[in-house]
Amino acid sequence: MSGFEADNNGVSISVAAGNKTVADFEVSKKPKRNKFAFACSILASLASILLGYDIGVMSGAIIYIKDDLKISDVQVEILVGILNLYCLIGAYAAGRTSDWIGRRYTIVVAAAIFFVGALLMGFATNYAFLMVGRFVAGIGVGFALLIAPVYTAEVSPASSRGFLNSFPEVFINIGLLLGYVSNYAFSKLRADLGWRVMLGAGAIPSVFLAIGVLAMPESPRWLIMQGRLGEAKTVLDKTSDTKEEARGRLSDIKAAAGIPEDCTDDIVQVQKQTHGEGVWKELFLHPTPVVRHVLICAIGIHFFQQAIGLDSVVLYSPRIFEKAGITSSDHKLLATIAIGLSKTIFILVATFLLDKIGRRPLLLISSGGMVVILATLGFSLTIIGHSDNKITWAVGLCITMVLSSVAVFSIGMGPIAWVYSTEIFPLRLRAQGASIGVAVNRVTSGVISMSFISLYEAITIGGAFFLYAGVALVAFFFFFTFLPETQGKTLEEMEWLFGKLVGWREEAQKLKRKRKMNEANHQIQLGNNLTTDRRC
């Protein structure tokens, strides 16, 4: 007879199970990805195309807008970057709207607002009219930026949450690529018509988004917060890997919502906070150590995602290529398509690595890589700027670094900022916490994109990227010091990891030991059950 042995607190236990060990009875394969959760995440993340398209299309359209409307560089900076600040209004409104009408219909609102904004920009006759369109579109983008990652986090099972919650960033990059392609496709039109078609075409994705939402269920966490347990249980059964996981998720969310564990009614009364009373006080005025740590991590990761200046590369890539010696408009637009392809390919790679490698390793690799790439880009642009002749190797190095920057960013800092910040907030604080992350992200992006031209005119374009490299170095040390690994943890398990800014590693080890002990006890129980069955 062969036996099974497990070590539980130093005690060796042997279990006879015929000629088979417990391992022979275990399922070795990982559960397949939940197709229903996958489809829901895809549909919700379509909202992120709106931001990506706007960023991509504006980088090329601004070339023609500047010539057609005869605007200055300062007006160019404002036009390009102001959408990020307008996003704040949308993100703030979306936090309340999503708690009021639900995550699903908030996505419809986002699509409708952006649709109107895109049409206004497309029919703009002057700079002021164009700014009105940017304002409306910015509100729609703010709605989309908040709600897509929140919804995805709340329908995703723990085993694939990183994979699924990276989808919003994937679709931002797909939208970016579509914007670049739109630039090139419509650049052949008459100058005063081409940029209007480029911007107006952004209304098309919002129509498909609004239609696609009809096939989505509501977030189970929002349903439970409304007391609709029966509907929530149905959604959890469909979006979980196993029935046991669905029951566990239901139990965790009920506890977070203050609903008794033994309550099995389909409809229950839940005390609602329609205006988020108490939430802002808990976040800022009287935060617990856990909430304070979570807030610092969420704000920090969103700030550094934008402060390293990647938006300057994406939005002003035609100017960077021009500084590198590429003067043809067609060649500059083709080069921007290469940027879009690079970002899209590597963000797809990242989606498969998030739940295998983890958030922390990818984040550190990405931020460390950005330090080297941005410094090298600054060096190559400085060499080109100080030379009267075209230096081929410096031009090649510059183009390589531009493409490398978007690739390395997309494999870590790009998707992880959204994944991480949505999964670490407790349920009661999630909508408002996510809106804070979006606000920090968009304000920082707005400052970066509205100051780039002025910055490089003040300290040279090479100096601007040296500055960004310095910020990326600070980001690396921030991530290394303060951010715990959240891979494979349930949303309700996060409180184990947060609470000690620099002492979280000890808590992570305790959680790891607890999990191993539970697994060992499970193995022993399984072995005992097999022995009992064998004897029977």
Side-chain angles (χ1 to χ4, degrees):
M1 281 189 171
S2 61
F4 166 75
E5 293 190 356
D7 193 330
N8 185 29
N9 295 329
V11 179
S12 181
I13 300 173
S14 180
V15 181
N19 293 321
K20 295 183 179 181
T21 64
V22 172
D24 293 321
F25 292 89
E26 293 178 342
V27 179
S28 59
K29 294 182 179 179
K30 289 184 178 181
K32 294 181 180 179
R33 293 198 188 278
N34 187 294
K35 293 180 180 178
F36 187 76
F38 180 90
C40 292
S41 300
I42 287 281
L43 290 172
S45 301
L46 284 172
S48 300
I49 282 183
L50 307 180
L51 173 63
Y53 184 86
D54 186 271
I55 293 173
V57 79
M58 186 54 74
S59 69
I62 197 65
I63 299 173
Y64 305 100
I65 294 172
K66 188 175 189 298
D67 292 337
D68 185 37
L69 300 183
K70 304 295 186 293
I71 58 177
S72 66
D73 279 344
V74 173
Q75 289 175 306
V76 167
E77 285 182 316
I78 294 172
L79 181 64
V80 169
I82 198 67
L83 180 130
N84 295 296
L85 301 185
Y86 293 152
C87 280
L88 297 179
I89 302 172
Y92 175 76
R96 290 193 172 190
T97 304
S98 66
D99 283 343
W100 176 37
I101 65 173
R103 313 327 193 196
R104 182 177 176 230
Y105 289 113
T106 302
I107 297 176
V108 177
V109 172
I113 295 173
F114 189 84
F115 178 84
V116 174
L119 290 182
L120 287 174
M121 289 190 291
F123 287 105
T125 54
N126 53 48
Y127 184 76
F129 196 160
L130 190 55
M131 288 293 285
V132 172
R134 296 292 279 169
F135 173 75
V136 177
I139 294 175
V141 168
F143 266 83
L145 270 178
L146 175 86
I147 200 60
V150 168
Y151 179 90
T152 306
E154 293 182 348
V155 298
S156 303
S159 63
S160 56
R161 191 177 61 246
F163 173 73
L164 297 179
N165 216 35
S166 63
F167 282 8
E169 183 70 14
V170 171
F171 280 93
I172 287 176
N173 284 276
I174 291 174
L176 188 78
L177 180 58
L178 290 174
Y180 287 149
V181 172
S182 174
N183 285 337
Y184 187 74
F186 299 123
S187 63
K188 309 302 179 185
L189 296 176
R190 199 173 69 242
D192 62 334
L193 177 64
W195 66 264
R196 290 181 169 86
V197 177
M198 293 174 191
L199 297 178
I204 298 173
S206 61
V207 173
F208 287 104
L209 172 62
I211 295 172
V213 167
L214 299 176
M216 291 165 50
E218 184 50 83
S219 156
R221 283 176 171 78
W222 184 82
L223 289 171
I224 289 176
M225 294 299 285
Q226 305 303 307
R228 294 154 62 178
L229 296 187
E231 294 176 61
K233 186 178 182 300
T234 301
V235 177
L236 286 169
D237 286 340
K238 290 181 178 180
T239 58
S240 298
D241 291 330
T242 63
K243 295 292 184 183
E244 291 73 18
E245 183 188 4
R247 286 195 293 269
R249 291 172 69 187
L250 179 63
S251 177
D252 288 340
I253 303 170
K254 282 167 66 177
I259 300 173
E261 175 64 29
D262 57 357
C263 180
T264 57
D265 296 339
D266 286 345
I267 303 291
V268 298
Q269 285 295 116
V270 178
Q271 184 177 359
K272 298 180 181 180
Q273 295 183 339
T274 55
H275 299 290
E277 49 265 30
V279 172
W280 296 110
K281 288 182 180 179
E282 186 173 354
L283 282 170
F284 291 109
L285 297 181
H286 308 292
T288 63
V290 171
V291 172
R292 186 183 300 113
H293 188 180
V294 166
L295 194 61
I296 289 172
C297 290
I299 290 174
I301 198 169
H302 275 290
F303 170 77
F304 284 116
Q305 188 208 41
Q306 295 299 330
I308 63 169
L310 202 277
D311 270 8
S312 296
V313 175
V314 174
L315 284 166
Y316 296 103
S317 51
R319 287 194 179 226
I320 296 172
F321 291 134
E322 185 176 339
K323 293 286 183 181
I326 301 175
T327 55
S328 167
S329 294
D330 279 354
H331 291 168
K332 284 187 283 188
L333 292 178
L334 283 172
T336 62
I337 292 177
I339 291 177
L341 284 171
S342 179
K343 275 180 70 64
T344 303
I345 290 169
F346 280 91
I347 191 66
L348 289 172
V349 171
T351 61
F352 293 98
L353 297 178
L354 277 168
D355 289 316
K356 293 181 179 179
I357 296 178
R359 283 64 155 154
R360 237 177 97 81
L362 287 177
L363 201 56
L364 294 174
I365 290 169
S366 179
S367 56
M370 290 302 293
V371 175
V372 176
I373 290 168
L374 291 169
T376 306
L377 179 57
F379 169 75
S380 62
L381 287 168
T382 300
I383 293 295
I384 293 170
H386 285 79
S387 175
D388 294 329
N389 300 319
K390 186 175 181 179
I391 305 175
T392 305
W393 67 266
V395 172
L397 183 62
C398 174
I399 295 171
T400 301
M401 289 303 103
V402 168
L403 295 176
S404 298
S405 68
V406 295
V408 172
F409 178 85
S410 295
I411 211 166
M413 294 182 73
I416 291 174
W418 303 104
V419 173
Y420 200 91
S421 62
T422 51
E423 68 185 358
I424 61 178
F425 278 104
L427 171 63
R428 66 188 182 280
L429 308 176
R430 186 161 300 133
Q432 286 82 359
S435 68
I436 293 169
V438 172
V440 172
N441 190 286
R442 292 299 91 194
V443 167
T444 310
S445 177
V447 171
I448 293 296
S449 55
M450 287 196 293
S451 64
F452 179 66
I453 297 176
S454 300
L455 180 66
Y456 81 64
E457 287 178 349
I459 64 173
T460 74
I461 193 166
F465 284 105
F466 281 128
L467 178 61
Y468 293 149
V471 176
L473 183 61
V474 176
F476 176 87
F477 286 109
F478 175 85
F479 299 149
F480 180 82
T481 305
F482 298 120
L483 271 65
E485 177 59 72
T486 58
Q487 177 194 15
K489 310 296 188 299
T490 64
L491 294 176
E492 283 69 33
E493 212 173 19
M494 295 299 173
E495 291 192 17
W496 281 82
L497 296 173
F498 292 87
K500 297 181 180 178
L501 280 176
V502 293
W504 57 265
R505 289 175 176 82
E506 290 78 8
E507 296 302 319
Q509 288 299 321
K510 289 179 185 177
L511 182 59
K512 188 175 181 181
R513 287 194 294 270
K514 181 183 176 184
R515 281 190 163 196
K516 284 184 176 180
M517 186 176 294
N518 289 339
E519 288 173 3
N521 290 336
H522 176 71
Q523 294 273 352
I524 293 166
Q525 184 63 45
L526 180 58
N528 288 333
N529 292 340
L530 288 171
T531 302
T532 302
D533 292 343
R534 183 72 175 176
R535 286 172 180 170
C536 292

